Amino acid sequence: MLANSVPSGTLIPQESKLQAVNAFGVQAVVAYRRDTAECERRAAEGTPPLTRPDVLDLLMGLPVGETVPVSTLSPPERRALKAAPKGVVVQSSGTVTRQVVQPLGVDLAIVPGRGWESAMAKAELFTPFCARAVLVERPLRRKDDAMLQADFYGIGLLALVGNELDVLVPPRPFVKRRHTVAGWKFLEDLYAQLA
């Protein structure tokens, strides 16, 4: 229903796809873009989604496609290297080269709910990772309060009126302030559901 209600190119980029997911125990619909080359590479290598924080932490310290001497890695990084699944890195002659990159990008998470307050509380869980919006499934009570809070927190406020989507407050665009293990794990957890 939501996929038919969101006109392509308005709230989400035209190339984004919509998919229902469960993240942080919250049912949401995400607008995402696959890195096709990376997904195909992972499929060919048999690389599973990467969910171990120690492996992701190691990968964040390795440049993509550049050889790094294994001797420069710390003992915890060497342990993580041993735990890295197939297709993540190439090891040769005492060096390691990172192959893997993030498999997708998320443009927007839309959290449906009966009431705007509970839906906004759930949408806040997505704050460090992507733009977010709530979709209220029934007429809004205290509409002005809902719009004020949504605007203040940068959460989009959407309502379905019949089969039409009413954008009461557009979501604030997401600006990635830093790269984190949690951010990469968020993408990998979604990739596991979308693969």
Side-chain angles (χ1 to χ4, degrees):
M1 173 74 172
L2 184 59
N4 298 331
S5 301
V6 179
S8 182
T10 54
L11 286 176
I12 59 171
Q14 205 160 3
E15 62 275 8
S16 287
K17 295 180 178 157
L18 292 173
Q19 179 70 42
V21 298
N22 184 325
F24 319 112
V26 173
Q27 293 294 322
V29 174
V30 294
Y32 71 98
R33 290 166 285 109
R34 284 183 185 271
D35 180 327
T36 305
E38 175 64 6
C39 291
E40 288 174 358
R41 189 193 68 72
R42 286 185 183 203
E45 294 274 346
T47 307
L50 308 175
T51 56
R52 285 186 56 151
D54 59 338
V55 172
L56 293 173
D57 192 39
L58 165 69
L59 295 172
M60 289 185 63
L62 295 175
V64 178
E66 292 186 31
T67 302
V68 174
V70 174
S71 62
T72 63
L73 301 179
S74 69
E77 289 172 327
R78 286 189 207 144
R79 283 192 296 277
L81 182 61
K82 288 179 183 175
K86 180 180 174 188
V88 172
V89 296
V90 172
Q91 293 187 65
S92 174
S93 304
T95 64
V96 60
T97 305
R98 177 177 141 195
Q99 291 184 295
V100 74
V101 295
Q102 295 174 347
L104 53 91
V106 176
D107 296 306
L108 179 66
I110 303 170
V111 177
R114 292 179 176 234
W116 61 269
E117 290 172 301
S118 61
M120 278 192 202
K122 292 175 183 174
E124 277 295 321
L125 296 170
F126 294 88
T127 299
F129 311 114
C130 61
R132 62 252 190 268
V134 298
L135 175 65
V136 181
E137 300 170 349
R138 62 168 114 171
L140 279 174
R141 294 178 344 151
R142 301 184 351 256
K143 183 177 179 178
D144 291 340
D145 288 344
M147 292 176 68
L148 186 65
Q149 282 201 32
D151 186 53
F152 180 79
Y153 291 108
I155 299 173
L157 181 58
L158 316 174
L160 275 178
V161 180
N163 286 336
E164 296 294 316
L165 184 70
D166 189 9
V167 180
L168 301 171
V169 176
R172 187 175 303 145
F174 177 70
V175 177
K176 185 177 267 193
R177 305 228 185 270
R178 59 192 181 120
H179 297 277
T180 64
V181 169
W184 194 341
K185 187 171 181 326
F186 168 72
L187 297 175
E188 295 286 341
D189 288 342
L190 293 182
Y191 175 66
Q193 293 179 57
L194 303 171

